[in-house]
Amino acid sequence: MDETNWVVQINEELKSDGPSLSEKEQWKRHSIYKVPSRVTELNDKAYKPQAVSFGPYHHGEVHLEAMEEHKHRALLHFLKRSKKPAPLQSLFLRMDQVVQDLKDSYKPLDSTWTQDTRRFLQVMIVDGCFMLEILRASCRTCTPEGYADNDPVFGEHGKLYVMPYIKRDMLMLENQLPMKVLHTLIKFETDKTQEDDESLNLLILEFFNASSKENRSMGKCVHVLDVYRKSLIEEGRPMQPTWYSEERGDEIIRSAIELHEAGIRFKRSKTHSLRDVSFDHGVLRLPTMVVDDATEYMFLNLIAFERLHVGAGNEITSYISFIDTIIDNETDAAILNRRGILINALGSDKAVAKLFNSLTKDITVDKHGFLDAVLMNMSNYCKKPWNKWRANLIQTYFRNPWAIVSLVAAIFLFALTIVQTIYTVAPYYQSPSPSP
């Protein structure tokens, strides 16, 4: 573009009142993102699938080609069960009707995919059928038929040795499929005209063994990672009201051992929601969390999704940042482990502390997030000297029954000593009797 055309273009854009409606709608459609290099360089392995690719971002990578055979087999099983004439052609036409929405879901999308629509749809159909068959394979009421008992993926052997890796890869941001792909496949199979969001959401939650209720409504989700994220923050209790002054500075969050020494007790929340965090009368309640080999990958991708998807919220990022400040070392992790808040499946408290310390590198936290009231109430509690004195008294003299017995005995002996002293000294101060 020469200088004259560039000036004309800029002048035309200046005449507009702002972003066009189409531009606003375009931003709303994005839901699957490439994680920026400044983030991936901290832990590149956490954002790349190791067993299977879903979508265009990692399609064709050499270490993932072994699963393409199983994808092809899952497609054949799906099409045979549909019992429709020319099923692949019909499915292709169905998917072609929403192809632009599918392309708009990816930000960015390479020009090779935007120009070659047939290849893009092929990936959507094959990967979508495989994902749907994977979800159903773990469902108790809708297990897909046609697979052999010794199937390396869908059989019992596959569920034990292959499914855990597929499950981990399905929670990676760059490895997502638009939810519309799964809805289109289900409508093609069942001849339904409406999308059943809740049934599909429950199927996904059952696959990940996430807590769910039949009467629970999660609404429309953009992909599997979004469904899983909402399952972590739903069902939380309403946050406690703020009773502190709005004029305040940044507060320093203390570690678990420091909070313990300040008299704060740790207890489990009544639900597993990451929003179910409260502080009241010296008791900090936190939800129970299992920490295993997949925890790091899961939270890093959830944090990346909140970072890149406008309007997603920041509940996961805020909670992980809160836990990171409480856990400085293995001693802090051990305290939360003993209270049943962290269930350690990594083997050592030091590994747990190292994991949470690595999750918060180069992240931004909203200072006015849902944990703001909890942080301020904890800070105000720790500033009161009486709370720390009482905690020191309890930790020093009431740690075990023998310490209590020793304290009571010492007080009793001290009281007897005072009484004895009084009876000994009192006669010397009594008035002498008057002489006759």
Side-chain angles (χ1 to χ4, degrees):
M1 181 183 297
D2 57 31
E3 183 178 353
T4 303
N5 293 335
W6 177 73
V7 172
V8 172
Q9 178 185 349
I10 295 298
N11 289 332
E12 290 295 328
E13 292 177 355
L14 289 174
K15 294 178 182 179
S16 62
D17 296 332
S20 62
L21 179 62
S22 60
E23 183 178 349
K24 291 182 179 180
E25 292 298 324
Q26 186 72 15
W27 286 114
K28 291 180 180 179
R29 293 178 180 180
H30 299 325
S31 59
I32 305 171
Y33 307 88
K34 273 278 192 180
V35 182
S37 58
R38 65 179 183 276
V39 177
T40 58
E41 66 184 9
L42 298 175
N43 190 344
D44 185 58
K45 188 178 179 180
Y47 305 97
K48 290 185 177 181
Q50 303 298 315
V52 60
S53 67
F54 293 105
Y57 285 158
H58 296 278
H59 179 76
E61 293 184 1
V62 176
H63 69 287
L64 303 175
E65 289 183 353
M67 196 60 68
E68 295 301 315
E69 172 190 352
H70 302 295
K71 289 184 183 180
H72 180 76
R73 192 160 46 82
L75 172 65
L76 295 179
H77 281 278
F78 178 84
L79 295 176
K80 288 179 180 178
R81 288 200 310 271
S82 68
K83 298 180 180 180
K84 299 184 184 311
L88 184 57
Q89 290 81 349
S90 300
L91 179 56
F92 193 94
L93 292 176
R94 287 282 191 95
M95 204 70 72
D96 187 52
Q97 295 174 0
V98 294
V99 64
Q100 192 57 49
D101 292 337
L102 302 181
K103 289 181 178 180
D104 291 341
S105 299
Y106 293 91
K107 179 64 179 178
L109 186 62
D110 192 85
S111 59
T112 57
W113 297 104
T114 57
Q115 296 173 3
D116 194 345
T117 300
R118 295 188 65 85
R119 184 183 175 211
F120 178 80
L121 287 178
Q122 177 184 344
V123 172
M124 293 292 104
I125 292 173
V126 174
D127 290 1
C129 287
F130 184 71
M131 179 178 288
L132 189 59
E133 295 288 275
I134 287 293
L135 293 174
R136 289 173 172 175
S138 299
C139 178
R140 295 186 298 271
T141 60
C142 55
T143 303
E145 300 177 355
Y147 294 99
D149 296 336
N150 59 347
D151 190 289
V153 176
F154 298 96
E156 293 301 322
H157 182 85
K159 292 179 181 179
L160 180 62
Y161 293 102
V162 180
M163 287 293 184
Y165 299 98
I166 296 178
K167 185 179 298 186
R168 183 185 63 183
D169 288 349
M170 285 176 63
L171 290 179
M172 293 187 176
L173 179 57
E174 295 184 359
N175 210 36
Q176 298 297 307
L177 290 177
M179 196 67 81
K180 189 174 287 293
V181 172
L182 301 180
H183 280 303
T184 303
L185 292 173
I186 294 174
K187 289 194 293 184
F188 167 79
E189 184 182 34
T190 60
D191 294 325
K192 292 182 179 179
T193 57
Q194 298 294 328
E195 296 180 356
D196 190 353
D197 293 309
E198 299 310 322
S199 296
L200 184 54
N201 292 341
L202 289 175
L203 180 64
I204 294 171
L205 292 180
E206 184 176 354
F207 175 70
F208 287 103
N209 298 320
S211 59
S212 62
K213 295 182 178 179
E214 294 296 332
N215 58 351
R216 171 180 170 188
S217 177
M218 297 181 62
K220 187 175 290 295
C221 300
V222 292
H223 44 59
V224 169
L225 183 64
D226 187 29
V227 175
Y228 190 78
R229 176 187 172 276
K230 289 182 178 180
S231 73
L232 294 178
I233 61 177
E234 292 294 328
E235 299 181 354
R237 295 185 300 172
M239 299 306 299
Q240 57 186 347
T242 58
W243 48 265
Y244 52 85
S245 172
E246 290 294 334
E247 296 181 359
R248 62 190 188 277
D250 294 337
E251 300 294 337
I252 299 175
I253 308 174
R254 296 169 171 83
S255 64
I257 186 64
E258 292 176 316
L259 295 175
H260 177 68
E261 292 175 351
I264 292 180
R265 293 171 292 161
F266 297 90
K267 291 187 177 181
R268 291 177 295 178
S269 302
K270 293 183 179 180
T271 72
H272 288 79
S273 170
L274 299 189
R275 288 184 58 86
D276 194 359
V277 181
S278 62
F279 180 77
D280 187 34
H281 293 91
V283 177
L284 176 61
R285 296 187 180 273
L286 298 168
T288 301
M289 179 191 303
V290 178
V291 183
D292 55 23
D293 293 332
T295 300
E296 181 180 15
Y297 300 101
M298 175 191 69
F299 279 122
L300 284 176
N301 283 274
L302 288 169
I303 292 172
F305 177 61
E306 290 186 345
R307 182 176 191 163
L308 298 173
H309 190 64
V310 178
N314 67 338
E315 289 86 353
I316 303 294
T317 305
S318 297
Y319 181 80
I320 294 301
S321 177
F322 178 76
I323 293 296
D324 173 55
T325 54
I326 293 179
I327 300 178
D328 281 343
N329 51 51
E330 60 268 26
T331 304
D332 303 315
I335 292 177
L336 298 183
N337 189 13
R338 288 196 300 268
R339 298 299 184 272
I341 295 172
L342 294 181
I343 301 177
N344 186 359
L346 290 179
S348 68
D349 294 321
K350 185 176 181 180
V352 173
K354 182 179 180 181
L355 186 151
F356 281 102
N357 295 156
S358 66
L359 290 177
T360 55
K361 293 180 179 179
D362 193 30
I363 68 170
T364 303
V365 181
D366 184 7
K367 295 182 179 180
H368 301 283
F370 77 102
L371 288 172
D372 199 25
V374 176
L375 297 177
M376 286 305 302
N377 293 343
M378 289 170 54
S379 178
N380 291 337
Y381 184 91
C382 294
K383 290 177 181 178
K384 297 178 180 179
W386 162 246
N387 292 324
K388 189 170 184 178
W389 295 340
R390 183 179 59 181
N392 289 334
L393 177 65
I394 294 174
Q395 294 168 14
T396 303
Y397 297 105
F398 297 96
R399 291 176 299 178
N400 56 65
W402 292 112
I404 298 175
V405 171
S406 300
L407 178 63
V408 173
I411 294 174
F412 182 71
L413 291 175
F414 182 70
L416 290 178
T417 303
I418 293 176
V419 172
Q420 182 181 8
T421 303
I422 293 174
Y423 276 96
T424 302
V425 176
Y428 291 97
Y429 291 93
Q430 291 180 354
S431 300
S433 300
S435 58

